[in-house]
Each structure stands twice: as structure tokens, then as C-alpha cells.
């Protein structure tokens, strides 16, 4: 067996496509009409069509039980765009205990989207704050060798 991707049902395919393609800048990998797969390997599926495939069973939204995770090293510009589009936030940009900056918000169908800075960007930010590689490893939970490798790329 091979895992392929998560699939999320959406009520309004046009609205969902606008959100993922125009606001989050996702690129379409496959367009099957009722089902769209994006680069990064997640898919959206028109709920009415999907419901017909699962023999009419109910589709429930807004359970706050899962999220899609993306990385963006400069989240402030995205945050402003989300605000301009009246996107509802789970929480604004904040630091996790390991110092990674993240924000969580809802897509139009109340699926949670998390956007966090990449761990390599976090390491660089901590280095620029004056922390040595050992301290960065201790803060982030990354192995020191990984921190060394990430920082060497800059």
C-alpha cells in the first residue's frame, strides 16, 4: 500500500480554489473537476460529489480535530492578506514553546490551516538573536547536527 494525500471536502469548489490558489498560492497538480490535487499533495473535493461516493453519509465540518500545515518564512504579509479577506483566525502569529512562529486560521469550510516558519528559518532567526548552535538545538529539539546543517545552508 502507498499513502497518497489527505482529501478535504468543500462546499463551494470555486471559493475553495480561490482560497488555496490565490490567497495561499498553492499550485494545482491535478484538476479532475470535482477533485483538485495541489502540489504538496493534498486535495479538495466538492462535498456533494464526495457524499455521493460515500453513499449519502453526512459530512461534518469545523471539528477542530485536524489541520493542514504549511511553511512560510515571512508570515506577516500572508497575515495581512488573510485579514483583508476576512479570514477567521484560530489564533494570530505566536511562538510555540520551541520558538517557531505559527498562526492558525480556518479555510472557508472551517478546516484548520497552520502556517509556521520553517525550522531552518527558525534556526537562522535564533542565530541572529545571538544563540549558539547548541542552544538552538536545545530550544528547538532538533539534533545539533541538523542545526549545523541548516545554518550551513545560509
Amino acid at each position: 500500500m502507498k499513502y497518497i494525500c489527505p482529501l478535504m471536502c468543500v462546499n463551494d469548489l470555486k471559493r475553495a480554489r480561490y482560497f488555496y490558489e490565490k490567497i495561499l498560492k498553492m499550485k494545482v497538480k491535478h484538476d479532475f473537476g470535482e477533485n483538485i490535487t495541489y502540489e504538496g499533495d493534498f486535495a479538495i473535493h466538492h462535498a456533494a460529489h464526495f457524499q455521493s461516493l460515500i453513499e449519502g453519509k453526512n459530512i461534518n465540518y469545523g471539528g477542530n480535530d485536524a489541520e493542514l500545515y504549511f511553511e512560510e518564512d515571512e508570515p506577516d504579509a500572508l497575515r495581512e492578506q488573510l485579514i483583508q479577506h476576512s479570514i477567521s483566525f484560530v489564533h494570530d502569529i505566536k511562538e510555540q514553546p520551541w520558538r517557531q512562529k505559527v498562526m492558525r486560521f480556518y479555510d472557508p469550510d472551517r478546516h484548520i490551516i497552520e502556517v509556521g516558519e520553517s525550522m531552518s528559518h527558525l534556526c537562522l532567526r535564533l542565530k541572529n538573536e545571538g544563540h549558539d548552535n547548541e542552544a538552538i538545538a536545545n530550544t528547538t529539539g532538533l539534533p545539533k547536527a541538523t542545526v549545523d546543517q541548516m545554518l550551513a545552508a545560509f
Side-chain angles (χ1 to χ4, degrees), residues 76-94:
D76 292 326
L78 174 61
R79 177 187 175 277
E80 290 307 312
Q81 190 173 15
L82 295 170
I83 290 169
Q84 289 175 2
H85 285 89
S86 300
I87 300 300
S88 177
F89 282 80
V90 176
H91 64 75
D92 207 339
I93 296 172
K94 68 178 185 178

Side-chain angles (χ1 to χ4, degrees), residues 41-108:
D41 295 324
F42 74 95
I44 59 174
H45 198 122
H46 190 259
H49 183 259
F50 185 77
Q51 191 170 31
S52 73
L53 300 176
I54 61 170
E55 301 178 353
K57 292 186 173 42
N58 288 336
I59 295 171
N60 302 309
Y61 293 99
N64 291 335
D65 60 343
E67 68 180 21
L68 289 182
Y69 173 73
F70 299 90
E71 291 184 338
E72 170 59 49
D73 291 337
E74 302 298 333
D76 292 326
L78 174 61
R79 177 187 175 277
E80 290 307 312
Q81 190 173 15
L82 295 170
I83 290 169
Q84 289 175 2
H85 285 89
S86 300
I87 300 300
S88 177
F89 282 80
V90 176
H91 64 75
D92 207 339
I93 296 172
K94 68 178 185 178
E95 283 193 7
Q96 301 292 350
W98 54 93
R99 301 278 319 269
Q100 181 190 31
K101 291 182 180 181
V102 303
M103 65 180 151
R104 290 181 177 89
F105 49 91
Y106 293 107
D107 79 356

